[in-house]
Structure formats: C-alpha cells, structure tokens
Amino acid sequence: MADLTRRTVLGALTVAGATAAAPAVAWSSGTPMLRTAADASPNLVRGATFPEGIMAGVPRTDGATLWTRVPRGLFDGDAELAIVVSKQRDLSSPEIVETVIAEKQWDGCVHFQANGLAAGAEYFYQFRGQDAVSPVGRFQTLRPADSNQPVRIGFFTCQGFTEGYYATHRHLAAEDLDLVVCLGDYVYEATVPGVRGIDLNLYPQILPSMRAKYTLYRSDPDLKAMHAQHAFLPLWDDHEFRNNYSKDNWTLPELFFQEKKSAAWHAWFERMPVPRYADDMTRTYRSLKLGRTVELFAIDNRQYKDDQPCDDGGSIVCAAADAPGRSMLGPAQKAWLEDGLRSSGARWKVLANPNMMMGMVTGAAGERAFMDTWDGYGAERTELLSLAAERVSDLVVVTGDDHDTFSGELWDTGFAPGTPGNPGGTRRAGVEFVVPSVSSTNTGDTKGVAGAKAEEQKRLQYNPHLKQVDMRQHGYGVLEVTQDDAKLSYRAVDKLHANAGVSTSYQVRTARGSSTVEVI
C-alpha cells in the first residue's frame, strides 16, 4: 500500500540496533504541544507518572484499544487525562483529542477505544496530564478487507523475569510488523532465581500482589519499547495464575482456588490492552482479519480446559489422553473456531495457540511428552484437525509454552504415519511452528548443549512429522505471509545479556496448498 509507512517511526533502528526506547522519550520531552480543547482541560491530573508505559491492543481496521496506567496513591482519587491520536509523528493535526479517566478502582488503568481511524494506516498517540505526558506510541490499524498485501506478525512467549533480560523485545521493537502476539505466560507466578536475581512475590494470593507482577515485568525498558512501537494481541496461558491449572483445579490443592483465579484474571484484563465482551466478560478468544491474506484466530486453551489425564504426567503412555468427551476448548469456543475456520475468506488461516498441537513422542513405546498440551486431548484434536484436513486450506498454527523450538507438519490425528505407539494420520491438516521462550528455562538451560542436542535427535527419531528442532535457543519468531507462502523466521537472542544482538537461526516455510514444512 502506497500510504503505509511503518518504517518511518523506526528511524535508524535495525534488527540488531540500539534501543527503541529513545525515540519515544524524545518525542515526549519538553512542553506538550497542541494544547487545545480536551487537551487543555483544567481538570487534567497534575504529577502523573506512566511507569508501565503505553500500549495499543487488539487492532481493528478502524482503531485499537489504547492503554496506560497512572498509579493512584492511598489518598488520591481518579485521574483525568487527555488522549491525542494523530497520523503525524509530532502529533500535529490530531484525529482524536479526548479526555479519559484513570479510575482508582482499576488501579489507575485506562482502556480507551480509539475508533473512526483509517484501515492499514500508521498512527501515533500520547496520554497527557497537566504537567506530564506519556511516551508517544505508535500502532498500525489492520489492513483493509480487500488487501492482498503481505502480512508480518511477531510472536513471543514465556518470559520469566528473573531468568533473563528482554533484549528480545528491543529487537521486536525494531522489526517491521503489523502486530505482535504474546502466546501466553507474559508473567509468571513463580520463577527460578536467575541473572536478574529472585522474585519474592511467589504464588500471589491476593489482587494487589497479582498486580505487582505486571508492574515488575513492565519495569523493563525493552518490553515497554516494544509495546510503544507495535499493536499488541495478548493470549494467556497458565503462569498468569498457576502452572498447568485447568478450569477446576491445579496440580496442588489450594484453598479458594476459584476466587484466586478470578483475581488473576481481573489483573490480566486490567493490565492488558484488550476490550471486554459485554455478554462474556472473561472471554479472550477472538479473530483478526488482516485483509485477504490472513485471518488470525487467537484461542484460549486454559479457561475451559478439562483436567489433564493420568495425573498430568510427563513422558508417559496414557490411554485416557484420547478418550472422547474431554475438551481443551470448551463447547462454545470449539464451535466458534470450527465455524470460523470453515467460513474464513482469507488465503491463510493462522491459529495463535498457547499449547503444542502436534504430537510429541519421547520414547519408543509412544510416550507423550506432556498431558497439558493437545497430546492430553487427543479426541478433540482429531476432530479439529480432521475438519482442517477436509474443509480448511492453508492452516498455520503458531504455538508457545514449550520453551523450545519446533517446526512440524500437522496430520489429522496429530501424528504422522509411522509414529511409534500412536495413531498415525492419513490426511495432512496444516503446519505448526513453535517459538522459543524469551527467557524461561529451556532444555539447553537444564541439560546443557550436549544434552539438548541428544534430545533433539531423539525427538526427530520418534516424531516423523517433526522437521526442525532446536532446544537450546531463546528468542522470538516473525511470521511473514504472502498469497503464495508462509515463512517463519526464528530469531535467536541471548537471554543472559541485556545488550544481546539478534540472529536468524532458522527459516521454515510452507507453500500454498501443501501443508508441508520446508527448512530453508
């Protein structure tokens, strides 16, 4: 599109370049300009701070949800802010100038629905008090419905704060992207001590300590820089509350489980730039249409999930894993997803998926790696992938959670023909790309390089649908989709160094109509 100038805001930034935080600070320094109308209201709060930065979430063709937080003290009331949205980097000729309220009951968080904007366009925005302003953020609205242009989406997952630095986000900020997707585990209820010390806020029990997780994670300047540069679509998984929890419980008994889970969800909705569904206030699944090229389906693998079979064991043979009637998605979400995949008019259907969908066998007897993934919900997986094989063309599943890197082919049972101890499929259904963790412990961190390489060979041996594996790297993924193919570039970033560079470690692609993976 001729009017699409996403790179203009990035200036001299490169994938391996310097911090992306600098431009945002520069734009917002000094006296705020364009003080007119709502932006000049005498009721704007004085002394505002924006310690968690700004975000633009769940982009649409006509806008996005703009977010910030102004902390409120014990004796403070609500805070009135102005919001300015413009196509100009200096915020001149604003298209939106309105006032918004940072309510104390929501811990000073603001969710402003920016509407009436142009499709496929770049916008800049800022929140303002009387004497202080937020950084300037940017985002791109979704491409017009008739667009056949390529689409680029960044994906990250699993970013335990203490376990590594967030150079990944500095490099994501410098990428040329339509949006960034978090595949889950944005915060962790508990992480191991690491290069950034230890987080003593373990297994938070009440809302204030759950809120404190987000405040800690967003103290990182690189994470804030990424949010300031790109529209953002977050999914949740388990660590936003408790590891491997299901709709009814988690691994260990916990008093007031449902009440604490509700508090964790409250904190997530408060701290994320997402709109709420009026008729279903905890719903997170949704789809985004990026022209004719991509329809992006974001699913919830946690809220409606039946308990894991076989006591949530690992590397086991579990007959109950394929028992009919057990669900990962729940009936309403499954019906929504199946109908959406069948009826989508996009060339590519991209499924943002928190937990691995393809089977993952770890032994000659057919042992499956984890029961918390789709391996523990085999009947529903077969139903979904059989539909894809029969009725859905060009399905790409992009997955988080595992902390390691995998690229594989999806068959209607989840397993390719010849997989030991498991039902081999007969029809291809799509492909799956599993992005590595930003910082959370992977196989290489626990087994070392030699141990991880040995495990990689074992996974390739027992999983003929698996075409690429790396259990040592950390980083993120960039999916580039054209009318003819979809390519995932894995970016490797050293989590142990705050100023780490970035390299492209692998590129994998699937051609239109093939449901096969080619390692480039």
Side-chain angles (χ1 to χ4, degrees):
M1 295 177 56
D3 63 341
L4 192 59
T5 56
R6 291 179 291 174
R7 298 298 291 178
T8 60
V9 65
L10 299 178
L13 296 176
T14 65
V15 168
T19 177
V25 173
W27 299 338
S28 62
S29 61
T31 303
M33 59 183 298
L34 307 172
R35 290 284 187 176
T36 60
D39 193 23
S41 167
N43 299 320
L44 298 184
V45 65
R46 298 187 64 84
T49 61
F50 305 87
E52 297 180 36
I54 74 280
M55 294 186 284
V58 193
R60 308 181 307 275
T61 54
D62 70 341
T65 301
L66 306 183
W67 182 96
T68 194
R69 174 174 176 258
V70 177
R72 312 311 299 141
L74 181 62
F75 300 107
D76 292 331
D78 296 343
E80 184 174 303
L81 300 168
I83 174 73
V84 179
V85 181
S86 172
K87 283 187 175 180
Q88 308 304 316
R89 191 169 74 179
D90 65 358
L91 299 176
S92 59
S93 304
E95 301 197 15
I96 296 175
V97 183
E98 294 188 22
T99 56
V100 294
I101 303 298
E103 295 186 54
K104 187 172 183 177
Q105 66 172 329
W106 302 115
D107 204 29
C109 295
V110 173
H111 297 76
F112 174 76
Q113 301 304 322
N115 298 312
L117 305 180
E122 182 180 55
Y123 286 92
F124 304 87
Y125 65 100
Q126 185 180 61
F127 292 91
R128 296 175 173 175
Q130 280 201 40
D131 55 353
V133 296
S134 76
V136 171
R138 71 164 290 279
F139 67 95
Q140 180 182 308
T141 52
L142 297 186
R143 296 173 183 275
D146 61 352
S147 171
N148 291 310
Q149 293 294 312
V151 168
R152 287 172 55 88
I153 305 172
F155 292 90
F156 75 92
T157 188
C158 303
Q159 54 175 9
F161 186 86
T162 60
E163 297 177 68
Y165 294 106
Y166 287 172
T168 277
H169 288 299
R170 187 173 71 256
H171 297 301
L172 265 172
E175 296 272 6
D176 184 15
L177 303 171
D178 289 85
L179 74 157
V180 171
V181 176
C182 175
L183 293 161
D185 296 341
Y186 185 97
V187 300
Y188 273 68
E189 83 284 24
T191 58
V192 299
V195 67
R196 292 211 258 195
I198 185 170
D199 178 8
L200 297 177
N201 182 13
L202 303 176
Y203 302 101
Q205 302 292 307
I206 57 176
L207 181 58
S209 57
M210 293 172 181
R211 287 167 164 167
K213 286 288 184 181
Y214 294 88
T215 300
L216 172 66
Y217 280 54
R218 292 196 185 133
S219 67
D220 185 278
D222 290 328
L223 179 59
K224 287 190 285 189
M226 182 278 290
H227 282 309
Q229 295 294 333
H230 297 303
F232 181 53
L233 175 64
L235 285 66
W236 63 27
D237 190 26
D238 53 346
H239 287 289
E240 289 85 356
F241 177 46
R242 297 288 188 268
N243 181 50
N244 286 15
Y245 79 89
S246 64
K247 66 182 180 183
D248 294 319
N249 56 56
W250 74 297
T251 309
L252 300 175
E254 180 158 1
L255 293 173
F256 306 109
F257 169 81
Q258 297 293 353
E259 291 79 5
K260 293 174 186 176
K261 181 177 70 174
S262 294
W265 292 355
H266 178 108
W268 188 90
F269 280 108
E270 201 175 64
R271 284 313 204 273
M272 290 296 182
V274 295
R276 306 288 289 273
Y277 290 90
D279 59 347
D280 189 353
M281 293 294 283
T282 64
R283 173 179 164 175
T284 65
Y285 59 89
R286 51 175 46 91
S287 72
L288 279 63
K289 296 178 181 179
L290 291 88
R292 292 174 175 156
T293 306
V294 167
E295 183 165 3
L296 176 63
F297 296 87
I299 60 174
D300 180 350
N301 289 0
R302 194 57 54 182
Q303 180 174 180
Y304 315 103
K305 185 178 203 162
D306 289 330
D307 200 16
Q308 299 87 349
C310 297
D311 297 321
D312 197 16
S315 291
I316 60 172
V317 174
C318 175
D322 291 336
R326 300 182 60 261
S327 182
M328 172 87 82
L329 300 175
Q333 180 180 201
K334 184 174 71 171
W336 164 85
L337 178 60
E338 291 179 345
D339 181 66
L341 291 172
R342 275 193 302 262
S343 62
S344 177
R347 165 54 54 198
W348 295 89
K349 278 62 70 176
V350 176
L351 181 63
N353 169 53
N355 308 117
M356 192 184 295
M357 183 167 284
M358 61 183 159
M360 187 54 60
V361 176
T362 60
E367 299 94 327
R368 298 184 187 179
F370 300 109
M371 293 295 102
D372 188 57
T373 69
W374 283 92
D375 265 347
Y377 303 82
E380 187 171 66
R381 173 173 63 188
T382 296
E383 178 185 344
L384 184 62
L385 292 180
S386 294
L387 170 72
E390 294 170 5
R391 303 281 300 278
V392 181
S393 61
D394 301 317
L395 173 66
V396 176
V397 178
V398 186
T399 298
D401 179 56
D402 196 88
H403 302 186
D404 295 321
T405 303
F406 301 96
S407 304
E409 296 167 353
L410 290 168
W411 292 75
D412 51 3
T413 63
F415 301 94
T419 304
N422 285 279
T426 60
R427 298 166 298 177
R428 295 179 180 274
V431 301
E432 182 171 17
F433 304 137
V434 182
V435 301
S437 65
V438 172
S439 55
S440 299
T441 301
N442 65 13
T443 302
D445 294 330
T446 57
K447 293 188 174 183
V449 172
K453 286 185 174 181
E455 185 65 25
E456 291 166 10
Q457 294 306 307
K458 187 169 72 171
R459 299 295 179 94
L460 289 168
Q461 176 186 354
Y462 293 136
N463 298 275
H465 46 276
L466 193 59
K467 303 304 176 184
Q468 176 273 329
V469 56
D470 187 308
M471 306 179 83
R472 293 158 282 131
Q473 72 177 7
H474 295 278
Y476 63 100
V478 174
L479 181 69
E480 183 171 5
V481 187
T482 70
Q483 290 292 309
D484 297 322
D485 67 0
K487 180 177 69 177
L488 195 290
S489 298
Y490 292 104
R491 310 283 201 226
V493 182
D494 186 348
K495 71 173 187 175
L496 298 180
H497 296 91
N499 296 316
V502 63
S503 63
T504 299
S505 53
Y506 305 93
Q507 289 185 311
V508 290
R509 70 180 288 272
T510 182
R512 174 177 171 180
S514 72
S515 292
T516 60
V517 172
E518 174 191 358
V519 180
I520 302 174

